Amino acid sequence: MGDDYPTLFRSEQMSLMQFLIPTEVAHDTVAELGELGNVQFKDLNPAVNPFQRSFVGEIRRTEEMARRVRFFESQIQKEKDVVPIRPLYDSASLVTVGPSAAHNIDELDVTLAAHETRLVQMNDSYKTLSERTRELVEARHVLRETAVFFEKAETQQTDIRTSFDDSSAPLLQHDDREQQYLSTVQFDLEFVAGTIDRTRISTFERVLWRVLRGNLYMNHTDITEPFIDPATGAETRKNVFIIFAHGDALLAKIRKVAESMGATLYPIDANADKRSDSLREVTARLEDLETVLYNTGVNRRSELVRIGEHLARWQDVVRKEKAIYETMNLFNYDVRRKTLVAEGWVPTRDLTMIHMALRHATEESGTSVVPILQELRTSKTPPTFTRTNKFTEGFQTIMDAYGIATYQEVNPGLFAIVTFPFLFAVMFGDIGHGLIILFAALYMIFQEKKWARQELDEIVGQFFYGRYIILLMGMFSVYTGLMYNDIFSKSLHIWHSGWDFLEAGSNGVSYALSNGHIYPFGVDPAWHGADNGLVFTNSYKMKMSVVLGVIHMTFALCLQLPNHIKFKRPLDIYANFIPQMIFLQSIFGYLVVCILYKWSIDWSTRDTEPPSLLNMLIAMILSPGKVDATAQLYRGQGFIQVVLLLLAVVCVPWMLCMKPYFQWKEMQKIQGQGYVGLGHRNGGPRESTDEVLEIEEEGNGRVIVEEMEEEHEQHDFSEVVIHQIIHTIEFCLGCISHTASYLRLWALSLAHAQLSEVLWSMTIEKFLGLSGIFGTIALVMVVVFWFSATVFILCIMEGLSAFLHALRLHWVEANSKHYQGEGYSFAPLSFAKLDEKE
Amino acid sequence: MEGLFFNVDTGFLEGIVRGYKSGTLTQSHYASLAQCETLEDFKTQLSATDYGNFLANEPSPLSTATIADKATQTLVDQFNFIRSNSVEPLSKFLDYITYGYMIDNVVLLITGTLHERDTHELLERCHPLGIFDTMPALCVATNVEELYQSVLVETPLAPYFRDCLSAADLDDMNIEIIRNTVYKAYLEDFYNYVSTIGSTTADVMHNILAFEADRRTINITINSFDTELTKEQRAKLFPAIGRLFPTGNNALAKADDIDQVRQVCENVSEYRSFFDNSASAQTNGDLGDFGVAAQLEDRFFRMEVHLNKLAFLQQFQYGVFYSYVKLKEQEIRNITWIAECIAQDARDRIHDFIPIF
């Protein structure tokens, strides 16, 4: 593999680099590297508590700034009318690197603090003002409602009195009656009025009733408009209540209960004139307050608009600053505390870019001290970094979801670009459905620029992320659809059919005769609707899926080879790859050959019946050497099968024993030279002397923190044996079950074809014959129904199911043949990714 | 058999609770919390735990009360999440947990009103798990009868109060008696209730509740020395459950000093250690009864944590919900303690918390 061009075949070569950064340019360097997004820094002081690290103060400061920015953001979001937030690319930039950086950040800190205090002040005054407004509004409501209530009560009272008058008139004197009448106008009942939260009104009523033992008369009405809390923006709805009771003790109790339940009480006079006076007063004060409130609101809003101008920039700066200092916390000081020492993984290819970035950073910061970069030798496994673009990203993600490839291992993500959509399409073969998803994918791709910038919801976002997978799935489905000759379960007549249907015989059955044509591409449309059509496609698709499966597995098995060669494991080639290949080919490769051979023979001219291949395979294993004469495929079949079976049987002990044996021999050899045991115990000191030597040679040329869990592989022999036994059993059984597993290609494609046929025949077909205006209307409606069912059931639901099965075939059947997937992914410090995460 | 269908209704919630439980602070968390210099450090340190950014939007300087409040709020949020996702009988069980807090709140309100504190201030100090609708109205009551009639009759606490109805005026002594009578009724009721919801739950909960009852019994006994409380009255306050019941309770009812309490506790092997060092401390002389009680309290907490931890060893039972709440409460006490020590610069006592895991 050439190192000059990025490839998907293997992950990038990584180097562990050491950066010696002078303290004064550290910040700018990290900022530059963060923009580049190419370095994964290692934590050099894992033992240190997060709050004991060097840059905690700075982090705390940025966190405080971030809190302020969040506060602004929430304030802006809460505002009813939308306050415009100027997008990042449009807002004034803020220099955070170079000599003026510290000054700028200080200034930003001050600005933020000033804005915050101003905003908090405004909020407070706004809150007090609106609180007072609210009280006045409530008071007005209470006044109005009680007025209504009193008026009503008065008229009722009069009614009662009059009726009372009538019955008792003769007994009472006239002036008494007069007096009584007067006293009813003057209410002598005491009452409490106020407002309370609507949700609490029933509890309130109940509690009061119980406390006062029913000695009260309560009335309440809804206030129609809601009250809005200025700080939280939450709406509350309230009720006006008025309670009549007798006696000071009771009234005091009512007041106490009301206050403890969060009600607000308002002094209301029983006298109607005084009430209207206070109503006038309240209204007047309310008007004054509202103007003040309006002005405060306008001021506050203009402040928010000013903040909105810069908010995006501030967010960006604060986020970056925090990331920078968090990264710098991973660094180590050298002895003189003049320079910071950092270590990180870098793609070897990008070293020049990093060098340039470092130089650029020094120039920016205006000093002449260039950070020093040097490569370290290490035994640690580097992270796996696969460069993807928007096209390959989706496919790579599918494979990464199974497991991140081991460093420099063959990456199945590359091959998935073709095999994944292909296996999907085998199950989803229909031109029409393929076109639908193809157009959906094309639409998403054309909307790419627009959609990439906006927030998508979860489901749409997922489809959008896989748009190129869907594109390829659509194209491949059209292809397989052409192969199966299916378009919405109908067939296309592009060329001459190879069969002519004869006139129907007396029993109503018509037979097709071959007319010498051979349909050049795909399945002959004459099969469509034929009585034995299903039998034909069944047998065809079943065999096809076995053929495809064996090819796919063989290919996946072959991918072991570049791995073994790359990592210099010749033993694995002889002890694993070759016997596995022979085992697979001698049984299932042979089956594929038989399938192809059987297809190539014109059985109508033979005198024997076509043999069942399944029975043949079973007989090959259960009764080796014997082949039934009636079920013979070719001459000498028995002998060849015995040979193949023997080959397969030999492979099992070969796989089982060879690798452990050679490893054992290797160990014996080392032991013979007297290294084992000592090798382990001697390992430490010897390495350290090396280290000393190297430090003498090239200064800080070693990794500063050698990880505690140095991966000295324990060459425990029993472990090797057990591992190999498991591996062998897994492979042999896997071959059988995985081949059977590929039959899902057959099952799903058949199910898909049948389902679409059922959908067609149950809906459109029944309405095609109808004529007249109703027939047309019905047809249109049915077509609409059919189309939506096609999209939702056949394209989306069936598509997801086929996707899932294709995924499984890749993860389980193919990956188990070669993929280790024990790596960890490259997670560089990158400001671009920081934005994505938010 | 109950294990067979347990997961249908409760499997999800049990999973959630066990997940929450694995988020409780460990020894190493406490160790690094105790190293903090300021409350700001404390906040940074806590943000690395399951508490996450619960303090992120608090402007500095932080106060210990804010930390405790916010931490309690996380517990309450978790509890409410579980409560709103639960069905019978778990929901009833969870309600039972809140009754304990309700009793505390009721007593707090009555005491506060008695001392003429501001009602709103009192309401803020109530435990959020024990808040109920009509609670604010408690402050108008002047005697138990009225209290019961006006407010408590419609709460689930009503049956517990029925036993202590008397027209007597509320004073400190009476309130204390009420609290203990009500709590006794509550514990007994809870004890009976857990017996009805499956044997595993009953096994686990009986242990915890029995200890809770014994703790109350011992506390009542020690606190009633040298007070006007007669021995008959004292005996009435003891819950009729627990490992000391009935012999131990009878002996405790007659006890006159702390040595007799210790003798009673000797009979239960797990309780034997409660008084071990306290006896020697007493011989040293300077601590006195108060010191013993304080130490005892500490040991009770340790025992409680231990029992609650045991609840997590059993699956298919509701005890984990109770235990989680109690453990989390202890954790919040620990956090508050450490924060308080940092704030008041009392570093020598910073390790006096009760570690959970």
Side-chain angles (χ1 to χ4, degrees):
Chain A
M1 289 295 105
D3 278 335
D4 48 343
Y5 197 76
T7 159
L8 265 185
F9 187 61
R10 292 186 190 287
S11 64
E12 288 282 321
Q13 216 169 18
M14 311 294 281
S15 333
L16 182 63
M17 301 304 290
Q18 189 176 52
F19 300 77
L20 295 172
I21 314 170
T23 328
E24 56 267 33
V25 290
H27 176 271
D28 296 358
T29 312
V30 175
E32 193 70 31
L33 292 177
E35 293 290 355
L36 200 62
N38 244 338
V39 190
Q40 177 181 352
F41 288 104
K42 273 169 63 176
D43 193 352
L44 294 187
N45 11 336
V48 184
N49 263 330
F51 60 86
Q52 286 167 343
R53 298 191 173 205
S54 326
F55 298 96
V56 180
E58 282 86 347
I59 287 186
R60 207 159 278 155
R61 186 169 139 193
T62 43
E63 256 168 16
E64 185 65 22
M65 281 155 79
R67 186 190 63 76
R68 289 195 174 119
V69 171
R70 271 201 306 275
F71 171 66
F72 299 148
E73 203 183 353
S74 69
Q75 287 292 320
I76 286 182
Q77 266 168 5
K78 257 182 229 152
E79 191 69 11
K80 273 267 166 60
D81 312 311
V82 182
V83 174
I85 296 181
R86 196 182 273 257
L88 185 58
Y89 53 85
D90 205 16
S91 49
S93 67
L94 191 70
V95 183
T96 52
V97 289
S100 60
H103 175 67
N104 280 347
I105 294 290
D106 286 344
E107 214 164 67
L108 178 62
D109 199 7
V110 172
T111 327
L112 289 181
H115 275 300
E116 193 200 19
T117 32
R118 215 151 33 199
L119 200 58
V120 166
Q121 231 166 40
M122 283 180 183
N123 275 353
D124 281 349
S125 59
Y126 191 78
K127 200 174 157 194
T128 30
L129 282 174
S130 41
E131 199 75 7
R132 264 160 59 194
T133 326
R134 188 182 58 81
E135 264 167 30
L136 285 176
V137 170
E138 277 178 17
R140 196 175 60 187
H141 276 290
V142 173
L143 281 169
R144 276 198 197 138
E145 295 301 331
T146 42
V148 170
F149 177 76
F150 276 118
E151 272 160 30
K152 214 162 62 185
E154 260 164 41
T155 51
Q156 275 173 355
Q157 213 90 3
T158 340
D159 287 350
I160 296 165
R161 283 301 160 192
T162 18
S163 65
F164 185 64
D165 261 7
D166 285 347
S167 60
S168 61
L171 294 173
L172 291 163
Q173 287 185 351
H174 182 72
D175 47 331
D176 270 357
R177 240 166 48 216
E178 204 60 55
Q179 235 173 4
Q180 244 176 0
Y181 187 66
L182 279 173
S183 72
T184 50
V185 177
Q186 285 291 345
F187 263 88
D188 54 354
L189 269 175
E190 284 109 343
F191 60 90
V192 177
T195 56
I196 191 167
D197 210 322
R198 191 166 302 170
T199 50
R200 290 201 151 169
I201 193 102
S202 62
T203 335
F204 184 52
E205 216 171 341
R206 238 171 335 148
V207 168
L208 278 181
W209 192 83
R210 236 181 268 119
V211 170
L212 308 179
R213 293 160 212 230
N215 289 325
L216 80 161
Y217 175 74
M218 179 166 172
N219 196 12
H220 59 89
T221 37
D222 300 352
I223 299 175
T224 39
E225 65 259 34
F227 293 94
I228 292 156
D229 190 325
T232 57
E235 283 186 4
T236 45
R237 291 178 177 273
K238 294 198 164 183
N239 273 21
V240 172
F241 65 86
I242 175 164
I243 303 163
F244 295 91
H246 208 75
D248 283 340
L250 288 193
L251 283 177
K253 257 186 193 166
I254 294 173
R255 289 211 178 86
K256 207 161 177 197
V257 170
E259 265 162 16
S260 62
M261 305 252 330
T264 333
L265 298 180
Y266 295 94
I268 304 290
D269 207 285
N271 191 317
D273 293 338
K274 282 189 183 162
R275 274 208 306 276
S276 59
D277 275 352
S278 52
L279 185 60
R280 262 198 303 281
E281 198 193 318
V282 163
T283 322
R285 272 170 61 196
L286 199 58
E287 267 169 19
D288 291 350
L289 252 179
E290 257 160 11
T291 22
V292 181
L293 193 64
Y294 175 77
N295 284 334
T296 328
V298 166
N299 275 341
R300 182 166 169 273
R301 193 180 154 74
S302 64
E303 176 77 18
L304 282 181
V305 168
R306 262 204 302 282
I307 291 172
E309 284 278 300
H310 299 286
L311 189 65
R313 173 60 60 193
W314 291 342
Q315 272 172 338
D316 184 54
V317 167
V318 168
R319 205 155 49 209
K320 280 183 185 169
E321 285 297 306
K322 190 168 176 222
I324 289 171
Y325 285 116
E326 270 172 359
T327 312
M328 281 164 72
N329 262 342
L330 305 178
F331 298 174
N332 213 334
Y333 271 109
D334 80 331
V335 196
R336 290 175 297 270
R337 293 188 78 82
K338 283 271 173 54
T339 49
L340 281 168
V341 184
E343 276 172 23
W345 294 105
V346 175
T348 313
R349 201 191 312 284
D350 292 339
L351 274 180
T352 43
M353 279 163 74
I354 306 246
H355 274 294
M356 289 205 344
L358 291 184
R359 198 159 308 139
H360 186 240
T362 357
E363 278 164 20
E364 282 276 294
S365 63
T367 50
S368 53
V369 216
V370 186
I372 301 165
L373 192 63
Q374 56 192 13
E375 195 164 346
L376 302 175
R377 265 167 294 158
T378 173
S379 59
K380 295 288 291 178
T381 326
T384 307
F385 175 44
T386 323
R387 264 178 233 269
T388 52
N389 53 25
K390 62 182 178 184
F391 180 74
T392 51
E393 193 186 7
F395 296 99
Q396 189 60 45
T397 313
I398 288 179
M399 283 305 151
D400 285 349
Y402 174 77
I404 307 284
T406 314
Y407 177 61
Q408 294 249 300
E409 186 185 22
V410 170
N411 173 20
L414 171 64
F415 309 103
I417 297 174
V418 175
T419 54
F420 187 83
F422 180 69
L423 287 186
F424 171 83
V426 169
M427 294 179 267
F428 199 75
D430 190 302
I431 303 173
H433 303 152
L435 283 176
I436 290 177
I437 60 171
L438 178 63
F439 285 129
L442 282 176
Y443 176 73
M444 282 193 279
I445 288 167
F446 284 124
Q447 297 290 317
E448 198 173 65
K449 286 237 169 67
K450 216 170 87 191
W451 283 21
R453 227 181 289 152
Q454 68 201 40
E455 281 289 288
L456 296 171
D457 65 273
E458 203 179 351
I459 295 173
V460 181
Q462 264 177 19
F463 280 110
F464 180 67
Y465 188 76
R467 60 197 178 279
Y468 287 102
I469 305 180
I470 299 176
L471 177 79
L472 282 196
M473 291 191 315
M475 295 204 294
F476 279 71
S477 299
V478 173
Y479 168 75
T480 48
L482 278 169
M483 271 318 215
Y484 297 158
N485 212 339
D486 266 341
I487 173 163
F488 296 125
S489 81
K490 300 275 115 188
S491 57
L492 286 175
H493 277 265
I494 305 174
W495 292 282
H496 270 295
S497 169
W499 302 89
D500 286 333
F501 279 96
L502 298 177
E503 284 295 306
S506 54
N507 51 0
V509 181
S510 65
Y511 292 95
L513 272 189
S514 170
N515 57 10
H517 284 293
I518 288 177
Y519 204 70
F521 185 83
V523 175
D524 195 313
W527 284 107
H528 192 86
D531 273 349
N532 55 350
L534 192 60
V535 178
F536 167 71
T537 44
N538 233 337
S539 137
Y540 163 66
K541 284 182 176 171
M542 174 165 67
K543 283 173 182 145
M544 179 194 68
S545 54
V546 171
V547 172
L548 290 178
V550 173
I551 292 175
H552 192 209
M553 285 194 294
T554 311
F555 175 68
L557 198 59
C558 287
L559 290 181
Q560 276 191 8
L561 208 53
N563 278 343
H564 295 328
I565 293 171
K566 167 96 187 175
F567 299 121
K568 302 209 171 49
R569 296 183 299 219
L571 181 63
D572 275 312
I573 299 182
Y574 304 127
N576 271 337
F577 173 66
I578 292 178
Q580 282 179 353
M581 194 52 123
I582 294 176
F583 184 86
L584 180 67
Q585 297 310 332
S586 63
I587 297 178
F588 297 102
Y590 172 66
L591 178 66
V592 169
V593 171
C594 287
I595 289 172
L596 296 178
Y597 179 70
K598 190 180 162 187
W599 273 345
S600 67
I601 294 175
D602 185 359
W603 288 98
S604 58
T605 60
R606 289 282 186 99
D607 39 2
T608 50
E609 282 287 296
S612 157
L613 291 177
L614 186 63
N615 289 343
M616 182 204 82
L617 194 70
I618 294 171
M620 168 178 166
I621 293 164
L622 290 186
S623 54
K626 275 178 272 172
V627 176
D628 200 351
T630 55
Q632 196 175 16
L633 197 60
Y634 55 93
R635 274 188 297 130
Q637 195 184 351
F639 173 70
I640 288 184
Q641 284 182 358
V642 169
V643 172
L644 288 175
L645 189 64
L646 281 178
L647 271 177
V649 170
V650 166
C651 285
V652 177
W654 182 357
M655 269 186 272
L656 199 62
C657 303
M658 188 165 162
K659 194 176 171 188
Y661 173 70
F662 274 98
Q663 286 196 340
W664 179 72
K665 252 181 77 173
E666 187 90 347
M667 275 163 64
Q668 289 296 96
K669 213 169 84 188
I670 296 172
Q671 220 158 22
Q673 292 167 351
Y675 275 122
V676 157
L678 290 179
H680 246 348
R681 262 160 259 154
N682 265 2
R686 218 180 51 203
E687 263 170 34
S688 66
T689 49
D690 279 359
E691 220 169 295
V692 171
L693 275 180
E694 250 166 64
I695 289 172
E696 277 171 9
E697 274 165 26
E698 42 180 330
N700 293 331
R702 287 287 296 185
V703 184
I704 288 186
V705 182
E706 276 289 355
E707 259 65 18
M708 311 304 167
E709 3 77 74
E710 272 287 290
E711 292 158 30
H712 280 299
E713 245 182 72
Q714 276 283 341
H715 276 290
D716 200 351
F717 187 63
S718 62
E719 228 167 75
V720 174
V721 172
I722 289 171
H723 182 257
Q724 193 63 23
I725 290 174
I726 293 173
H727 193 68
T728 309
I729 294 175
E730 197 192 331
F731 180 80
C732 294
L733 293 182
C735 268
I736 301 165
S737 65
H738 289 174
T739 311
S741 183
Y742 276 96
L743 289 177
R744 70 186 68 231
L745 294 176
W746 159 52
L748 264 98
S749 89
L750 210 66
H752 186 82
Q754 290 299 309
L755 199 63
S756 63
E757 194 170 325
V758 166
L759 190 65
W760 175 274
S761 59
M762 296 298 272
T763 56
I764 292 192
E765 204 170 70
K766 297 204 169 146
F767 289 85
L768 271 181
L770 295 182
S771 56
I773 193 140
F774 288 108
T776 323
I777 293 171
L779 189 62
V780 168
M781 279 164 61
V782 161
V783 166
V784 170
F785 171 75
W786 169 81
F787 186 73
S788 48
T790 302
V791 168
F792 284 105
I793 299 178
L794 288 175
C795 289
I796 296 184
M797 244 173 66
E798 275 276 287
L800 283 175
S801 129
F803 183 95
L804 202 75
H805 284 283
L807 199 65
R808 184 223 141 93
L809 286 179
H810 278 82
W811 280 359
V812 180
E813 271 74 28
N815 277 357
S816 69
K817 299 283 183 295
H818 71 102
Y819 193 45
Q820 283 183 322
E822 286 165 347
Y824 60 102
S825 66
F826 181 55
L829 165 76
S830 158
F831 291 154
K833 284 207 181 118
L834 217 59
D835 293 343
E836 267 170 38
K837 248 190 276 174
E838 291 284 309
Chain B
M1 273 306 279
E2 31 179 301
L4 199 57
F5 299 108
F6 183 86
N7 279 348
V8 176
D9 287 334
T10 329
F12 167 67
L13 290 174
E14 191 188 355
I16 293 278
V17 161
R18 284 179 187 272
Y20 283 157
K21 173 229 159 197
S22 56
T24 44
L25 303 182
T26 60
Q27 202 70 54
S28 63
H29 284 135
Y30 283 122
S32 46
L33 282 178
Q35 285 174 22
C36 292
E37 296 286 332
T38 63
L39 286 185
E40 291 299 307
D41 287 344
F42 197 73
K43 173 175 155 187
T44 322
Q45 199 57 252
L46 269 185
S47 67
T49 67
D50 253 29
Y51 283 99
N53 284 327
F54 77 120
L55 291 172
N57 282 337
E58 294 302 317
S60 8
L62 279 172
S63 73
T64 328
T66 331
I67 295 178
D69 277 354
K70 288 278 163 182
T72 314
Q73 196 51 47
T74 55
L75 169 64
V76 172
D77 288 345
Q78 289 174 344
F79 184 84
N80 285 340
F81 175 78
I82 291 171
R83 173 68 185 84
S84 47
N85 276 296
S86 60
V87 290
E88 281 289 330
L90 177 61
S91 53
K92 176 104 172 142
F93 180 84
L94 292 174
D95 284 343
Y96 262 103
I97 298 179
T98 61
Y99 296 165
Y101 298 100
M102 280 162 74
I103 296 173
D104 288 344
N105 283 351
V106 169
V107 174
L108 175 78
L109 273 178
I110 305 173
T111 331
T113 321
L114 190 68
H115 295 286
E116 286 172 357
R117 294 284 190 79
D118 181 33
T119 319
H120 292 283
E121 189 191 319
L122 287 173
L123 285 177
E124 269 168 32
R125 280 177 49 202
C126 284
H127 197 286
L129 276 184
I131 282 179
F132 53 98
D133 256 0
T134 49
M135 203 171 73
L138 282 174
C139 54
V140 289
T142 47
N143 62 31
V144 193
E145 178 73 30
E146 202 177 12
L147 200 70
Y148 179 78
Q149 291 296 348
S150 58
V151 184
L152 293 171
V153 69
E154 64 165 11
T155 64
L157 301 182
Y160 308 146
F161 274 91
R162 213 169 282 151
D163 292 338
C164 56
L165 283 184
S166 66
D169 278 345
L170 292 170
D171 56 38
D172 280 337
M173 175 85 171
N174 264 339
I175 289 175
E176 214 39 52
I177 292 177
I178 290 171
R179 181 215 290 273
N180 284 313
T181 329
V182 169
Y183 218 93
K184 161 192 149 86
Y186 160 66
L187 277 180
E188 286 166 5
D189 188 35
F190 198 5
Y191 195 86
N192 288 334
Y193 175 69
V194 292
S195 314
T196 64
I197 48 173
S199 57
T200 3
T201 307
D203 284 350
V204 173
M205 285 307 293
H206 280 175
N207 271 335
I208 298 176
L209 290 177
F211 169 71
E212 185 69 29
D214 291 341
R215 170 160 92 170
R216 294 200 79 83
T217 311
I218 298 172
N219 272 341
I220 292 168
T221 315
I222 295 177
N223 289 336
S224 66
F225 294 152
D226 308 325
T227 56
E228 331 167 356
L229 197 72
T230 61
K231 287 186 179 163
E232 292 79 50
Q233 270 179 319
R234 190 203 294 174
K236 264 190 222 153
L237 299 179
F238 293 161
I241 51 171
R243 308 188 52 181
L244 296 176
F245 178 79
T247 355
N249 279 9
N250 286 339
L252 281 178
K254 296 190 191 82
D256 278 323
D257 56 32
I258 225 154
D259 273 334
Q260 289 177 359
V261 177
R262 192 180 66 215
Q263 272 164 17
V264 174
C265 288
E266 294 278 289
N267 295 330
V268 181
S269 56
E270 280 89 347
Y271 299 167
R272 210 164 281 163
S273 63
F274 289 160
F275 291 92
D276 267 1
N277 283 346
S278 57
S280 62
Q282 206 177 27
T283 48
N284 287 342
D286 49 345
L287 275 169
D289 270 6
F290 173 72
V292 175
Q295 256 191 353
L296 198 60
E297 196 67 2
D298 210 41
R299 295 213 177 129
F300 282 151
F301 276 133
R302 271 173 213 281
M303 184 73 183
E304 188 189 358
V305 165
H306 171 71
L307 283 175
N308 280 321
K309 268 186 343 195
L310 291 184
F312 280 93
L313 297 181
Q314 286 248 32
Q315 222 192 334
F316 303 138
Q317 43 94 10
Y318 296 149
V320 284
F321 297 98
Y322 181 87
S323 297
Y324 176 70
V325 174
K326 294 291 165 193
L327 288 180
K328 197 77 182 172
E329 227 187 345
Q330 182 59 44
E331 181 179 295
I332 292 168
R333 272 198 291 271
N334 289 346
I335 290 178
T336 319
W337 173 261
I338 297 176
E340 202 65 64
C341 284
I342 291 171
Q344 299 179 6
D345 212 18
R347 305 223 141 251
D348 45 330
R349 302 202 55 198
I350 206 164
H351 290 284
D352 290 359
F353 56 86
I354 294 150
I356 298 176
F357 287 107

